Amino acid sequence: MKPKYSVEQILEAVEASHLPLVVRSVDEDKVEVGEAHCMGSYIVESDEDGLILDCLECTDPEWGEVVINSLATALHILFDK
């Protein structure tokens, strides 16, 4: 099934987010993001319903909820019309 958001849209959401996120890598359908001052990172991808977040080397899984909510809000504002 086709994902709701493209990698390019996810990258725009990372840039638009109010969080201090940096892009660590980009794959065909996944974006790895992290905080500038933290070693942990998250894999962000989209399915047909929205965003999926996978925590890599995270010390605070609750922060992942903050990250996914921020990106989902940015995507909604930028692309859901």
Side-chain angles (χ1 to χ4, degrees):
M1 297 188 127
K2 183 177 178 185
K4 184 172 182 177
Y5 301 108
S6 68
V7 167
E8 291 80 12
Q9 289 173 316
I10 294 172
L11 291 171
E12 286 188 49
V14 170
E15 190 175 316
S17 171
H18 71 286
L19 300 175
L21 298 175
V22 294
V23 174
R24 306 230 175 173
S25 69
V26 178
D27 195 349
E28 243 176 61
D29 55 350
K30 300 175 185 174
V31 177
E32 182 180 351
V33 298
E35 294 176 87
H37 64 282
C38 182
M39 294 303 294
S41 61
Y42 304 91
I43 298 293
V44 182
E45 59 186 310
S46 180
D47 65 7
E48 63 275 358
D49 296 322
L51 292 180
I52 302 169
L53 185 79
D54 186 20
C55 186
L56 299 174
E57 303 172 17
C58 299
T59 57
D60 185 3
E62 291 178 2
W63 182 245
E65 286 296 315
V66 174
V67 170
I68 197 78
N69 288 335
S70 176
L71 295 178
T73 299
L75 285 164
H76 177 71
I77 291 169
L78 291 169
F79 301 109
D80 294 343
K81 297 180 182 179

